[in-house]
């Protein structure tokens, strides 16, 4: 029970941190400034549902793809941990993460009429960090039904908070401000950095155990 509780808390913290719902608010404000509230809400809803579909796809077939490519889960733990650590570093320094959106992509998004698919769904919400986190946690939870439910709950909660934050983006900017968002992102960045290192340590430990067993 204690292990399941710890896994559940870890999953919730990681998904909420990687998706960073509050951090999406200034992006939505900037990209939808010329839309009405009704149009903005429709874009936000589409982006959330598209992100959910992408995450569900990788949750179902991610491990299958790793197996077909001959990639062991411990290798993905190390690689995924390294990717999440890069995201955490960008959060700590208040930078727009290149794993979510490049400068060129940001400039292109400003000229698009429908931004629900790009850049909101991909890569802002369901980007490489979210996909890696999904495959990692589903891989760890697969033998345990309760852990799988915890991962599903974490994903749904993170997506709901993202939807809520994007719908309330103007209110968040008005009451919290960009400084408040940066402070919150830095706090979440510290947590994500620690979780990313733990992923890598787990992968290394599993690799050492596997190599010792083979010998």
């Amino acid at each position: 029970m204690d292990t399941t509780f710890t896994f559940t808390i870890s999953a919730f913290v990681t998904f909420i941190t990687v998706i960073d719902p509050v951090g999406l608010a200034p992006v939505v404000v900037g990209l939808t400034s010329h839309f009405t509230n009704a149009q903005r809400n429709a874009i936000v809803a589409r982006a959330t549902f598209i992100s959910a579909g992408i995450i569900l796809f990788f949750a179902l077939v991610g491990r299958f793809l790793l197996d077909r490519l001959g990639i062991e889960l411990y290798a993905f733990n190390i690689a995924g941990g390294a990717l999440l650590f890069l995201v955490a570093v960008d959060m700590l320094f208040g930078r727009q993460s290149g794993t979510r959106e490049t400068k060129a992509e940001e400039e292109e998004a400003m000229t698009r009429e429908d931004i629900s698919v790009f850049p909101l769904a991909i890569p802002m919400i369901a980007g490489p960090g979210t996909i890696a986190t999904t495959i990692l946690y589903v891989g760890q939870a697969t033998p345990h039904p309760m852990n799988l439910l915890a991962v599903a709950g974490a994903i749904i909660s993170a997506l709901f908070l993202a939807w809520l934050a994007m719908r309330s983006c103007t209110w968040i900017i008005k009451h919290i401000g960009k400084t408040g968002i940066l402070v919150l992102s830095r706090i979440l960045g510290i947590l994500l950095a620690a979780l990313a290192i733990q992923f890598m340590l787990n992968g290394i430990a599993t690799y050492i155990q596997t190599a010792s067993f083979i010998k």
Side-chain angles (χ1 to χ4, degrees):
M1 183 63 68
D2 289 342
T3 303
T4 301
F5 178 75
T6 302
F7 181 86
T8 301
I9 295 299
S10 174
F12 271 80
V13 171
T14 305
F15 275 104
I16 290 173
T17 303
V18 170
I19 293 178
D20 189 16
V22 176
L24 292 171
V27 177
V28 175
V29 169
L31 294 177
T32 63
S33 58
H34 55 294
F35 292 122
T36 65
N37 284 335
Q39 290 174 322
R40 177 187 292 128
N41 291 341
I43 288 171
V44 165
R46 281 199 302 272
T48 304
F49 280 113
I50 292 169
S51 301
I54 295 169
I55 293 171
L56 177 62
F57 172 80
F58 281 99
L60 295 175
V61 306
R63 185 61 187 270
F64 174 79
L65 290 176
L66 292 182
D67 290 341
R68 297 287 75 79
L69 293 172
I71 300 173
E72 297 291 342
L73 188 59
Y74 59 74
F76 197 81
N77 276 342
I78 297 171
L83 174 61
L84 293 180
F85 186 77
L86 292 177
V87 175
V89 170
D90 285 333
M91 292 176 70
L92 286 169
F93 286 96
R95 301 188 301 232
Q96 176 63 53
S97 177
T99 63
R100 299 184 70 169
E101 186 182 27
T102 64
K103 188 66 177 177
E105 290 172 337
E106 181 182 355
E107 292 173 354
E108 180 186 347
M110 296 300 295
T111 64
R112 298 174 67 93
E113 286 301 317
D114 186 2
I115 61 170
S116 58
V117 178
F118 173 84
L120 286 184
I122 308 170
M124 296 303 298
I125 302 174
T130 306
I131 292 170
T133 302
T134 300
I135 297 175
L136 283 171
Y137 271 99
V138 170
Q140 292 180 7
T142 297
H144 310 287
M146 291 302 296
N147 286 355
L148 282 173
L149 286 176
V151 173
I155 293 172
I156 293 171
S157 297
L159 287 175
F160 172 76
L161 290 175
W163 170 81
L164 189 62
M166 289 188 292
R167 278 183 64 96
S168 310
C169 58
T170 53
W171 184 92
I172 291 174
I173 294 294
K174 179 180 178 181
H175 289 83
I176 299 178
K178 291 188 176 181
T179 301
I181 292 174
L182 287 175
V183 170
L184 181 59
S185 292
R186 281 169 169 78
I187 294 173
L188 293 175
I190 294 172
L191 293 174
L192 183 60
L195 288 166
I197 294 297
Q198 189 62 56
F199 274 131
M200 289 188 282
L201 291 176
N202 291 344
I204 294 170
T206 304
Y207 169 73
I208 292 173
Q209 291 175 0
T210 303
S212 300
F213 178 76
I214 293 174
K215 289 181 180 179

